[in-house]
């Protein structure tokens, strides 16, 4: 393999982990964009850049849908243009990268990077380097939840391959992230193989013991008094979230609600109002502008600083919420296809890489609301498309 090809492969996969890397040159510039645009030029000059017909249809729909709704709702059209550019460049680049260099090669490089980054992240955690907080691991990522999400595909693959050393290292770092999203991901990694009958009996007892033990543990501590510093953090969050669910309908939040719950529920309230008034969606990238229109009907908890009262105003805290607000019923159709594709992929033993990307994507739907973070289209395209290995680089 040529040296240039190796550079494109390794730098493109490394770029998946660079969300926290930025530098100042006249303006703040993210390393991901530098790598992406440089490699886009290198790929275009050494290969031929192609755009899949389905991608043209999707981008065309987003453009038409967005223009109509932006003009109707009088939102700044620049937001639509910025989102479409980011989605277009990222998706076109990673489609061509995977087409030329194959899923197998690129995913193996991702697995190598994830393992070595996990080891580095352990040292970073204990040396307090790039720490999100003193007690949570985020490694080279900007947040613990982001770290957990990008590691879940490798966690699944190492489990399927029975590579227990690498599995243990990845699992340890996800646990050290203390991310509720990471815990959900681990549970899914255990549960999803049970959808197949041949795995069901093998793991049924283990799952029953884990679930039963979890329920028993929660029952023993559920009625303990809630204290921000001393009580169980998971139980505290579950109880406060349960008590605050009605805020999605009223827009009024109690003063004892934690910040994570407020972030999700306040954006769920905004999304509900957007969809109620615009069932076909408000246009891709319109969320922040629609948020401002409905924010005045909310009553945030008094303890929050002004800067936190509009938390996740730009990304809705969840890709699911943002997609529903931006695309309305069309988002529901996309999600229906996502779950149809999930059943199809997990119905085949030979699609381990595609199966692995599911865990990242489902967590992305729950938590991270950006349309083009560095890793998103790499995983999404592997999940969606049957790439022709015959045209890939040998």
């Amino acid at each position: 393999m040529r040296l240039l090809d190796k550079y494109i492969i390794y730098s493109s996969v490394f770029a998946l982990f660079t969300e926290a890397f930025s530098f100042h040159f006249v303006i703040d510039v993210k390393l991901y964009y530098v790598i992406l645009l440089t490699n886009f030029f290198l790929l275009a000059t050494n290969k031929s850049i192609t755009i899949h017909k389905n991608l043209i249809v999707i981008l065309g729909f987003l453009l038409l849908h967005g223009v109509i709704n932006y003009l109707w709702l009088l939102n700044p059209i620049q937001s639509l243009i910025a989102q479409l550019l980011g989605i277009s460049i990222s998706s076109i680049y990673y489609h061509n990268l995977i087409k030329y260099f194959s899923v197998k090669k690129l995913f193996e490089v991702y697995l190598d990077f994830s393992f070595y980054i996990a080891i580095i992240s352990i040292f970073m955690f204990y040396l307090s380097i790039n720490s999100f907080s003193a007690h949570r691991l985020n490694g080279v990522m900007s947040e613990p939840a982001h770290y957990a999400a990008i590691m879940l595909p490798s966690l699944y693959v190492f489990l399927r391959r029975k590579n227990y050393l690498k599995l243990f290292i990845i699992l340890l770092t996800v646990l050290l992230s203390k991310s509720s999203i990471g815990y959900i991901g681990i549970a899914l990694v255990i549960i999803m193989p049970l959808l197949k009958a041949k795995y069901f009996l093998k793991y049924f007892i283990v799952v029953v013991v884990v679930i039963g033990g979890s329920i028993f543990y929660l029952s023993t501590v559920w009625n303990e008094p809630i204290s921000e510093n001393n009580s169980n953090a998971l139980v505290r969050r579950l109880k406060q979230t349960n008590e605050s669910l009605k805020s999605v309908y009223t827009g009024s939040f109690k003063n004892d609600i934690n910040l994570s719950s407020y972030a999700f529920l306040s954006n769920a309230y905004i999304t509900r109002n957007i969809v109620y008034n615009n069932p076909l969606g408000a246009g891709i990238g319109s969320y922040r502008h629609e948020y401002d229109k409905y924010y005045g009907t909310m009553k945030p908890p008094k303890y929050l600083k002004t800067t936190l009262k509009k938390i996740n105003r730009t990304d809705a805290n969840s890709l699911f919420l943002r997609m529903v607000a931006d695309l309305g019923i069309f988002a529901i159709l996309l999600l229906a296809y996502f779950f149809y594709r999930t059943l199809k992929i997990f119905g085949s033993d030979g699609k381990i890489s595609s199966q692995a990307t599911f865990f990242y994507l489902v967590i992305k739907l729950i938590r991270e609301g950006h349309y083009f973070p560095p890793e998103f289209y790499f995983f999404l395209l592997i999940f969606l498309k049957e790439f022709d290995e015959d045209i890939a680089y040998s």
Side-chain angles (χ1 to χ4, degrees), residues 214-234:
S214 299
I215 293 174
F216 175 76
Y217 171 72
L218 287 174
S219 68
T220 61
V221 297
W222 188 259
N223 293 321
E224 292 180 0
I226 294 178
S227 169
E228 189 66 29
N229 296 319
N230 299 320
S231 60
N232 185 286
L234 176 60

Side-chain angles (χ1 to χ4, degrees), residues 40-60:
F40 204 116
F41 173 77
L42 292 174
L43 204 61
T45 54
N46 289 275
K47 312 284 185 183
S48 59
I49 296 294
T50 60
I51 305 177
H52 195 277
K53 60 182 180 180
N54 290 345
L55 182 57
I56 295 175
V57 171
I58 292 172
L59 292 174

Side-chain angles (χ1 to χ4, degrees), residues 56-308:
I56 295 175
V57 171
I58 292 172
L59 292 174
F61 167 77
L62 293 178
L63 176 61
L64 180 62
H65 176 270
V67 168
I68 292 172
N69 282 284
Y70 270 69
L71 293 176
W72 175 259
L73 298 171
L74 301 178
N75 289 323
I77 201 76
Q78 295 92 328
S79 296
L80 172 65
I81 296 171
Q83 293 300 313
L84 284 176
L85 280 175
I87 293 170
S88 300
I89 294 172
S90 297
S91 58
I92 292 170
Y93 175 73
Y94 277 105
H95 172 266
N96 283 273
L97 181 77
I98 296 171
K99 183 182 73 172
Y100 285 118
F101 298 112
S102 85
V103 170
K104 182 178 180 180
K105 173 62 179 176
L106 292 166
F107 209 82
E108 288 300 322
V109 175
Y110 155 74
L111 292 174
D112 289 339
F113 267 113
S114 65
F115 174 63
Y116 292 120
I117 286 175
I119 294 175
I120 293 170
S121 297
I122 293 173
F123 287 100
M124 293 177 67
F125 173 65
Y126 286 108
L127 295 174
S128 299
I129 300 173
N130 189 44
S131 295
F132 179 81
S133 71
H135 306 290
R136 300 181 65 187
L137 179 147
N138 58 289
V140 297
M141 306 299 285
S142 60
E143 295 182 24
H146 297 180
Y147 177 88
I150 200 171
M151 289 294 178
L152 288 175
S154 60
L155 183 72
Y156 176 76
V157 172
F158 292 140
L159 175 63
R160 289 292 304 271
R161 292 181 178 179
K162 299 182 180 180
N163 190 327
Y164 296 119
L165 174 61
K166 292 184 177 181
L167 172 65
F168 172 76
I169 296 295
I170 298 291
L171 179 61
L172 175 63
T173 58
V174 174
L175 291 173
L176 286 174
S177 74
K178 298 181 181 178
S179 166
S180 55
I181 287 297
Y183 299 152
I184 292 172
I186 293 170
L188 286 172
V189 167
I190 296 171
I191 292 170
M192 287 303 290
L194 302 181
L195 295 176
K196 299 178 184 178
K198 68 178 183 178
Y199 292 126
F200 184 81
L201 293 176
K202 184 177 180 180
Y203 295 113
F204 178 74
I205 296 177
V206 176
V207 172
V208 168
V209 170
V210 171
I211 294 176
S214 299
I215 293 174
F216 175 76
Y217 171 72
L218 287 174
S219 68
T220 61
V221 297
W222 188 259
N223 293 321
E224 292 180 0
I226 294 178
S227 169
E228 189 66 29
N229 296 319
N230 299 320
S231 60
N232 185 286
L234 176 60
V235 174
R236 184 172 69 247
R237 288 194 176 190
L238 287 173
K239 291 179 72 172
Q240 290 175 342
T241 300
N242 180 58
E243 294 171 357
S244 302
L245 283 176
K246 64 180 181 180
S247 300
V248 174
Y249 298 93
T250 65
S252 180
F253 297 88
K254 294 183 178 181
N255 284 325
D256 62 349
I257 188 173
N258 64 71
L259 183 60
S260 297
S261 298
Y262 171 74
F264 178 78
L265 295 173
S266 62
N267 283 280
Y269 170 78
I270 296 293
T271 298
R272 175 181 171 274
N273 281 276
I274 295 173
V275 174
Y276 180 81
N277 292 289
N278 307 282
L280 297 180
I284 201 85
S286 65
Y287 185 80
R288 69 176 67 187
H289 307 298
E290 293 299 302
Y291 184 104
D292 292 338
K293 295 177 184 179
Y294 296 104
Y295 174 76
T297 63
M298 280 201 323
K299 294 181 180 179
K302 294 179 181 179
Y303 79 88
L304 282 182
K305 297 179 181 179
T306 302
T307 54
L308 293 177

